Amino acid sequence: MTEPLAPRLSVVPYKGTRDFYPEDMQIRNHIFACMRSAAESFGYQEYDGPMLELFELYAAKSGEELVNEQLYHFRDRAERHVAIRPEMTPTVARMVAARINELPRPIRWFSFPNLWRYEKPQRGRLREHWQFNVDVFGVDSIAADQEIIEIAIGVMLRLGAGMEDFSIHVSNRKLLNSFLLDRIGIDDEHRKKVCRAIDKKAKLSVEAFHEMVTDAGLSPGQIDELEAFMNLNWADLDRHSLSDSQGASEIRELFRGLESAGLAGYCRLDPSIVRGLDYYTGTVFEMYDLAPENRRALFGGGRYDDLVGMFAPTRLSGVGFGMGDVTIRDFIDSHGLIPMLPASADVFVTMFDESGQESSRELARHMRQSGLRAISQIEPAKLGKQFKWAAQCRIPIVAIQGPDELVSQQVSLKNMVTGEQVTVLVSESVMTIRRWLGI
RNA sequence: GUGGGUAUAGCUCAGUUUGGUUAGAGCGCCUGACUGUGGAUCAGGAGGUCGAGGGUUCAAAUCCCUCUACCCACCCCA
């Protein structure tokens, strides 16, 4: 007689979320390590904040769609209206504002928050993702914009990407605004539509683009000017009629700085970069995969004049970017940049039988005390099985101490990569292992 | 929210057009050949309510209906 089975629960993770099994976690850690290293090399400090914030924090500035359709929110037991953070910027602005008078400026911070948005999942887009956020507050000059872009490039280089893999498209909101308002005289009413068309140009056919901007009220002459504007190279800015505008001079300054840093090759002026968020006021940039099958921006950022102002009377400018783990993972996947994952241990210590348990554990303990990562066979088993297990886990060295070795205080070490095997005194074993591993 | 695709073993997939023995393959897993040595080879084994529910039929993985999940694209974004 068998009991009727209870209905089983699903093993599938909640829609739009991921399980990180150890092999996934290793890759995530690798990506985060590259990000952290890039930020720390510029002296940025890590911070974190709560995953829950009051709903009002986002209602104020985060944009209609994000709040109305994508926010996870609920009432807590005291009827407070609580939201799960969909982005980090409001939190960091709140944290900076709370200590606005004591923090030495510039403030250089980074974080790895997990963020939640109620989305329909698809490639590069899930409901929970981790986002590397880097911001510098309190610098009005373009030098900060350059530093932020340098960090972003630093992450890509650490991940193993090169000039042939990605490109950072840079523009400036002021430049776009001068062009639209002063140069060709678009009114506010049509500006949004034109911006949308500009933002989408790369994805549209020439005809579709023309239709879209004509629909937005542009004359054929204005369209010609717009297309010339969008093809501007930063070096051409000097000869352009917008040459004297503040946007143009900021762009020039930024590119001169990037050029002298040897980084101009990773960047190019692309006046079609708009970015959706309203709070950007100056430099804006997006990173694109140069592989043509991946057309969407992988990350982006820019300068925002005053996010802190919603909490404190002080104006404090900021520049920053956010980099999502989902898109970056897709990027390194498709560019063959997933590194060989290191094994979880340096050495596997075998065990023969009940009588060898103590000596086996003692040997592993000895190796750990010498700084090696050692895995013990937990209970006696066939040696072949133990070897197989070690090989499956790609542990590079197996230590064998059977009755033969035990009588003479020796241990046999097998290099699983080369197949070489030696028998040495226990006291010399760590040295041999270190030599084999090159550590 | 709109549109398209997919669902069969742990994984990748045949089989569905034309309903018919006990639903298959490769890889992976377990056992043995091999009582002190992994990858190779050979032999054997475990593992499926064919996404779920209903219908048609003597008979359904296969035909019909409904639902669900996942993937992709649009919108928007990382």
Side-chain angles (χ1 to χ4, degrees), chain A residues 1 3 15 34-35 43 71 81 98 106 109 119 141 156-157 162 173 180 201 204 215-216 274 344 393 405 432:
Chain A
M1 284 290 285
E3 297 286 324
K15 190 182 185 73
C34 292
M35 293 170 169
L71 203 60
H81 197 181
W109 284 2
E119 303 251 22
S141 85
M156 298 309 293
L157 297 181
R173 280 279 175 90
L180 292 177
K201 182 171 190 289
L204 296 174
D215 193 48
V274 178
S344 57
C393 297
E405 289 90 354
T432 305

Side-chain angles (χ1 to χ4, degrees), chain A residues 5-225:
Chain A
L5 292 173
R8 298 217 183 96
L9 295 171
S10 167
V11 296
V12 178
Y14 170 68
K15 190 182 185 73
T17 67
R18 291 159 292 169
D19 294 322
F20 289 90
Y21 285 87
E23 63 270 24
D24 306 308
M25 201 63 199
Q26 270 191 302
I27 293 169
R28 182 173 128 189
N29 284 335
H30 161 72
I31 292 171
F32 283 13
C34 292
M35 293 170 169
R36 172 176 279 115
S37 157
E40 286 182 345
S41 76
F42 280 76
Y44 283 59
Q45 292 180 289
E46 187 166 2
Y47 69 95
D48 201 356
M51 213 163 87
L52 301 181
E53 292 276 8
L54 289 181
F55 180 85
E56 299 88 81
L57 185 65
Y58 305 107
K61 272 218 166 173
S62 288
E64 228 169 283
E65 181 172 9
L66 188 64
V67 173
N68 291 340
E69 287 164 40
Q70 302 188 331
L71 203 60
Y72 279 86
H73 60 103
F74 59 94
R75 297 272 168 187
D76 74 7
R77 292 176 187 225
E79 292 298 313
R80 277 179 286 258
H81 197 181
V82 178
I84 305 178
R85 61 185 175 194
E87 54 164 340
M88 196 57 171
T89 307
T91 298
V92 69
R94 179 177 64 70
M95 287 170 65
V96 166
R99 300 197 175 182
I100 188 93
N101 290 324
E102 56 184 288
L103 291 169
R105 300 182 201 165
I107 299 159
R108 292 180 166 98
W109 284 2
F110 71 93
S111 187
F112 292 99
N114 57 333
L115 306 175
W116 288 80
R117 293 181 188 177
Y118 196 83
E119 303 251 22
K120 195 158 176 183
Q122 57 201 271
R123 182 176 164 82
R125 184 103 154 288
L126 299 173
R127 289 187 174 178
E128 183 190 34
H129 82 286
W130 274 258
Q131 191 181 66
F132 178 49
N133 272 250
V134 183
D135 291 279
V136 50
F137 296 92
V139 183
D140 288 333
S141 85
I142 292 301
D145 307 44
Q146 181 185 332
E147 181 165 294
I148 285 293
I149 290 175
E150 281 194 56
I151 293 171
I153 294 172
V155 173
M156 298 309 293
L157 297 181
R158 279 168 172 79
L159 287 167
M163 222 173 265
E164 67 285 356
D165 297 313
F166 72 96
S167 173
I168 295 187
H169 294 214
V170 183
S171 188
N172 190 300
R173 280 279 175 90
K174 289 172 193 158
L175 184 71
L176 180 67
N177 287 341
S178 330
F179 173 76
L180 292 177
L181 294 173
D182 308 338
R183 177 70 200 153
I184 64 173
I186 301 281
D187 56 45
D188 257 5
E189 185 193 338
H190 291 106
R191 199 158 59 109
K192 240 184 171 161
K193 270 182 152 178
V194 176
C195 282
R196 281 177 67 87
I198 292 173
D199 195 33
K200 296 188 70 166
K201 182 171 190 289
K203 281 187 170 181
L204 296 174
S205 67
V206 177
E207 295 76 24
F209 177 70
H210 280 196
E211 198 185 318
M212 220 173 148
V213 286
T214 303
D215 193 48
L218 293 199
S219 70
Q222 287 174 315
I223 294 176
D224 286 347
E225 283 218 55

